[in-house]
Amino acid sequence: MNYSKENLWQIEEVGFDSRYLGKTESIMALGNGYLGSRSATEERYTNERRDTFIAGTFNKFDENEVSELPNIPDVWWMDFIINGENFSLEKGKVANYSKRLNLKTGELIREFEWATGEIKLQFTFRRFVSKARRHYLSSYVEIKNLTSQSMAIQIRSGVDGQVTNSGSQHFNEGQKGLVDGEFMQMMPQTMESQIDFVFTVTHKLQVENLKERIEMGRRQIFMNYFFDLPANESAEIEKRMSIYTSIDNDLSIHEVEAMRQVAISEMKEVAELSFEQLLEESANEWAKIWAKHPILIESESFEDQLAIHFAKYHLHIMTPAHDERMNIGAKGLSGEGYKGHTFWDTEIFMLPYFNFTHPEIAKSLVTYRYLGLDGAHKKAEENGYEGAQYPWEAANPADGEVTPVWGAADIVTGQSTKIWSGFIEQHITSDVAFGVKQYIDVTGDQEFAEGKAYEILFDTAKFWGSRLEYNIEKDRYEINDVIGPDEYKEHVNNNAYTNYTAHWNVRYALNLAKELKETNPELFEKLNQKLALDRVLEELAEKVEKILLPQPTEEGIIPQDDSYLGKKILDLAKYKKMDGVDGLFHDYNLEQVNDMQITKQADVLLLLYLFEELFAHELKLKNFDYYEPKTTHDSSLSLSTHAILAADLGKLEESYEFFKRARAIDMGAYMKSSDDGIHAASLGGIWQMTVFGYGGVRMINGQLRIEPHLPRAWSHLTYGFDYQGESITVTVTKDRVELSKEDNGRAITFLSNGQQYSLQNTLHLS
Amino acid sequence: MNYSKENLWQIEEVGFDSRYLGKTESIMALGNGYLGSRSATEERYTNERRDTFIAGTFNKFDENEVSELPNIPDVWWMDFIINGENFSLEKGKVANYSKRLNLKTGELIREFEWATGEIKLQFTFRRFVSKARRHYLSSYVEIKNLTSQSMAIQIRSGVDGQVTNSGSQHFNEGQKGLVDGEFMQMMPQTMESQIDFVFTVTHKLQVENLKERIEMGRRQIFMNYFFDLPANESAEIEKRMSIYTSIDNDLSIHEVEAMRQVAISEMKEVAELSFEQLLEESANEWAKIWAKHPILIESESFEDQLAIHFAKYHLHIMTPAHDERMNIGAKGLSGEGYKGHTFWDTEIFMLPYFNFTHPEIAKSLVTYRYLGLDGAHKKAEENGYEGAQYPWEAANPADGEVTPVWGAADIVTGQSTKIWSGFIEQHITSDVAFGVKQYIDVTGDQEFAEGKAYEILFDTAKFWGSRLEYNIEKDRYEINDVIGPDEYKEHVNNNAYTNYTAHWNVRYALNLAKELKETNPELFEKLNQKLALDRVLEELAEKVEKILLPQPTEEGIIPQDDSYLGKKILDLAKYKKMDGVDGLFHDYNLEQVNDMQITKQADVLLLLYLFEELFAHELKLKNFDYYEPKTTHDSSLSLSTHAILAADLGKLEESYEFFKRARAIDMGAYMKSSDDGIHAASLGGIWQMTVFGYGGVRMINGQLRIEPHLPRAWSHLTYGFDYQGESITVTVTKDRVELSKEDNGRAITFLSNGQQYSLQNTLHLS
């Protein structure tokens, strides 16, 4: 990838190498939260991954698979046949190749010269997914004949429904046809969830003596265009597309025929607008996002600033802000990885960005968890518990658990490995509670708190109450047979992260109950009726003091779980140097890794970061130094946590090394990293490292904290955030910190280095 | 394609051109009747069609689709990564490229040098589908380093279940795993028909310092091999594969676990045999086929002899001779075209070859129609008729009609065109009767006649009895609203081919009944009980004389249907010159073509060929001259009929022009002709043109006829056939015809130019 300090809004690939197709498809993905699309090229390559998704349109291929976001029929595809020869960049000579994404406007541009035999052409491709019209997509191609001879051009372009999710086909073929002689339509339906889709495609060509012919193949409808391109002349082709579905919440009627009419009306409506105008309309919507709390970094490394633009761009294209029945997938809408499912990644890694900068989007994300209570009850019941046990992986909110049961091959046995996360990675429930609590603390959204958040907080505590196991011998409550954040350790007892967060969840519910009984007894009684709180809280009160909270050893190390510290230690240097994330598993299987002090990602350290108030500085330092060398960072959720914790601990230079590695997860040179999609949590992590890590912002126990500290490479940082309805801007240089907000008569209070401040307009911290 | 008179058993492509991938995949397809596979390359290309089929394993994707042969997981695929670069022939320089099929042994060979950057390698690929072990496939690769530097080689090879039928996925993912550390297995099941498949793959590598790693992707299991290939050295990789299914009739147990054991036992059993030995074992089975009635042509054009080898090779790899529940698809097992369905192509075009050369295979094919009586009853009932109405397209025998309802786009309306054949292309029923009658006449298989054939012949006549429409005004029986062989004419009345063949079917049944009542009253009574023959025959007897048989006009032209001769005439010269078969439809839609005297394929002329005894020579000539210029030959069933009829009519040079065009349907230069699969009927046609056309053999009303006549280009023709248990060889030169058979005391009688002959040992016709 090529990045330039001349353009901090641009992700660019210079020179074509088909091995990077997967990477550029992901990191240059387009979208608007409603739909997301990998930036696969118009022409096809064998190692491409041609995916487009519409948020929330989950479908289950068969009984043995789990619901996933279906890869919808492809609208970007265009074949170019020049003098009878199929155009492909694997053939002939390619010069001045550039594929680049404008993060500011959401426009993807690809241009190059291509020569083979007598053919020499200049191609320019431009496309965008409209941020102004969620259903609308546009593509533009200019072909210039660079020779002194006319060339015969054939273009095939339409909708191709032969694509699948790695072989699983979620759609029936559906009707297709040409309307009014110009609008191709295809109307497939998902097989199990029965969601209707309407694809509409039309073309505008600026060429002389055009011949055209409609064609239909199996699951395909497309136009064939034939024309001669005279010497030194150019042809322009515009492709306009839209996609509607029967679950769209901006449609009042979801009948297929009605949707077809809506789509055609829209196409007719935009017919008078040029590609440029439609792009501008979309870019104007992007401008509103960029205007909100821009982050300015002055760094020795310009990629730091670029990374912030990159992260925010992706956080917005992946997030279905328009519909609270949907949440963010672990790969956003940029790949088949994790099937579009939502994990704890949302609450711990992406939600903070939205809490602090787009509270209305954050509200939609936490509302999804409220809608997910039914699914969480279902899961709890299936597992013999009560209350709300959130699914490790979530699709439609009411579905409950959708984690697949079987994963990759075990290199020793040659058999598929069972994925236990759906059964025993239980910290997700306290993560959701934590996320909801952060949301109400940061936004001060009392309506959501009373209407939804408290219920979630009680219901999750109720789950933990039923989940705790009494150890009669030791007279304590344990949480055994779990997976903590470190997924290399399956079936462990008393994972510190799990136990501490469960304890927090229970303790918080008890405090909340006490408070509500005094301040809002009516609400408490309502929730009591619904959740049997009187009984539940009594039980919780009995148990809470006896929940095992793993205590530090003599050396000050909090054991990750009951058995971790007794396991043998492997030198990980070899694996830490490897590209990719599963190098370790080329030598060991999961069972073997389970028996060593190897940690996939921040586990104890995540606890120390999220619940900093519970642990002393010295203890954090010791644990950081103990666990980090044993951590492979094989999860993209690991590095940003380490960067922030290191910054908190004053290890700023070490922190910045983690920062650089963390922002390289998707943007870096390793060509395979993003094939399955971008790493949503890592992108949230980039924002967190900046605003939480160096900006020093944190929401702790309902109290805002601001303690900026820049790494040596940074000379300046400006960031902003929303806090309880106020908009705050912070400027940090080596020697001063300036905070400002509109002087509207209201003040906000915050802590900084143990001191309480009140910000009404402008304030300097020394 | 490159063909050489030096090797009349070889189909070869010299030089790589990805546009010919589809063609070579089809015409160099491998198979053994149990399974058929397109010869897609090991490495992948975007425009490849990577299909392998197991005969009879039909599955229906959903309610809106029809049963089709599923494209099974791909076992041929291998990726080669050389010094980190993906191998593809679209990149770098390719020299001495040859892809060739040995028709005699069924071995496919591909070899070439490939150079890019520092890399220069010689690749040799060999593979076969065993004719000796129906479940077994073998692939061999040699890679030679042509440079003086070592190269890092990575090979990925296994089973890939991500393939689909143009987007429709028929399989669930199934279990997969590595058994005994060496056998990869994958066990998917078809979704609707619930047929279990067991794929087993193992590799043998002859390389130093091999590293290997098992990997599983979604619907994939494969090995990764890593090794260094020293300067000027070679590496050999053998891939051994087998496929079993739960409908295999050579297995007594169809439990998946049992099939897995059978597969592994077989792999272990063949472990001691080399690639060469396994190939030889298979070639020995092929040798038995080639030994049966070899055809020898001495022609000015060596491609004539090659075409015979080509046709017989494909006729055998496409025909599921092992299982009478299965029949031949219109594209054999070589492509997704026509979904593996069986048409009248079998009876009219392929069955004659088997009747006359492999009666045991012919028996299996006609037995399939006997098993299809249930399906035919179902179809008749659905359409309000009685008796056996055979499906236009057939899959599993009991399924009945499986013709899809919607086809390609109408260029005028832009909507899908309704396919009427499944409803009204009714001549299939008399075609099946005709085929069965030919089978019993040629083979003299009395047991089949009494056990199955007579029942089919009565039951089809019974259908026609119910189908005939009485025209009270004209006091005659008509067959209205049909499609005849010319599928450009939909909803016509009294298509000559349909009416004449239906009349034959009815008349034959009446005669047969009369005969049986005398010779085998017991059998007649049995059939009477089953089919209510007394009533049916009485009705048929009343109707038969009044069935409308379209009579010649004053000009001697038999009207193709009631309206044909009144339609306007279009000069077809432009379309006859076009590549491909649908040129006409780029200018006109079906409705427009319906209104013109344009015929897709032999219709009246087919009638004149098959029922030659009903029509005078002069009338045939007139009709030939009238209809041929109006025929686009847009069906591959057309040219061979014209070639034979022209030969019959003494137009030998014109006939030979048709012969050459007919053999070029798959073997010719047009690159797109065979993308969807080879043309099974056209291959049967090649044999018919030779043995029926120039060899002059015909079975007419139970009487054998032999009247050879060679075109000018041919100086010699030797052919042979089986006739009622005797094996006859015929040698034809310009001036003499010699017939011979084993002198076993039995004589056969035949007609030639109106004279009756008796052949006991050797005989010369002047």
Side-chain angles (χ1 to χ4, degrees), chain A residues 473-512:
Chain A
E473 205 177 314
K474 299 187 173 167
D475 185 27
R476 70 189 190 192
Y477 285 94
E478 302 184 344
I479 305 175
N480 295 321
D481 193 23
V482 299
I483 300 175
D486 169 17
E487 294 173 330
Y488 290 170
K489 300 285 166 287
E490 296 183 337
H491 307 295
V492 296
N493 296 337
N494 299 308
N495 167 262
Y497 180 90
T498 307
N499 284 29
Y500 274 92
T501 59
H503 176 264
W504 165 83
N505 198 165
V506 170
R507 166 67 67 204
Y508 182 80
L510 288 167
N511 294 346
L512 177 64

Side-chain angles (χ1 to χ4, degrees), chain A residues 18-19 44-48 61-62 64-66 68 83-86 88 90-92 161-179 191 213-216 218-219 221 260 336 339 406-416 582 585-586 672, chain B residues 18-19 44-48 61-62 64-65 68 83-86 88 90-92 161-179 191 213-216 218-219 221 260 336 339 406-416 582 585-586 671-672:
Chain A
S18 70
R19 291 174 297 173
R44 291 178 170 139
Y45 298 94
T46 52
N47 50 340
E48 67 184 7
F61 176 78
D62 77 358
N64 305 306
E65 296 195 5
V66 294
E68 70 179 327
N83 290 347
E85 176 112 20
N86 287 313
S88 165
E90 302 249 57
K91 296 193 287 198
Q162 294 190 0
V163 295
T164 62
N165 287 58
S166 298
S168 288
Q169 178 57 264
H170 290 288
F171 291 92
N172 67 19
E173 179 160 7
Q175 293 288 310
K176 37 191 201 248
L178 185 71
V179 177
M191 301 283 289
R213 198 173 74 233
I214 178 88
E215 219 172 301
M216 290 186 202
R218 188 165 181 184
R219 296 177 177 270
I221 178 167
R260 292 181 67 172
E336 293 177 23
K339 301 175 187 297
W406 297 103
D410 180 315
I411 60 123
V412 175
T413 66
Q415 304 300 313
S416 294
D582 61 349
F585 288 92
H586 298 173
K672 292 292 160 208
Chain B
S18 71
R19 290 174 298 173
R44 291 179 171 139
Y45 297 94
T46 51
N47 51 340
E48 66 183 7
F61 176 77
D62 76 358
N64 304 306
E65 296 196 6
E68 71 179 327
N83 290 348
E85 176 112 20
N86 288 313
S88 164
E90 301 250 58
K91 296 193 288 196
Q162 295 191 359
V163 296
T164 62
N165 287 59
S166 298
S168 288
Q169 177 56 265
H170 290 289
F171 291 93
N172 67 18
E173 178 160 5
Q175 293 288 310
K176 36 191 203 258
L178 185 70
V179 177
M191 301 283 289
R213 198 175 74 232
I214 179 86
E215 220 173 302
M216 291 186 202
R218 191 166 180 184
R219 295 176 178 272
I221 177 168
R260 291 181 68 172
E336 292 176 24
K339 302 175 187 296
W406 297 102
D410 180 315
I411 60 124
V412 175
T413 66
Q415 304 301 312
S416 294
D582 62 349
F585 288 93
H586 298 173
M671 65 170 73
K672 291 290 160 211

Side-chain angles (χ1 to χ4, degrees), chain A residues 369-391 396-401 429 452 454-464 466 527 529-533 536:
Chain A
R369 292 300 193 182
Y370 183 75
L371 299 176
L373 279 171
D374 281 353
H377 293 149
K378 200 161 99 181
K379 179 171 172 181
E381 209 175 301
E382 281 167 10
N383 291 303
Y385 304 123
E386 60 173 21
Q389 182 182 20
Y390 276 93
N396 288 315
D399 286 350
E401 188 57 71
T429 294
K452 301 191 172 77
Y454 295 158
E455 183 174 339
I456 294 175
L457 286 156
F458 283 128
D459 219 356
T460 48
K462 184 175 176 182
F463 157 71
W464 286 118
S466 70
L527 293 170
Q529 293 295 327
K530 197 165 180 181
L531 306 173
L533 286 186
V536 168

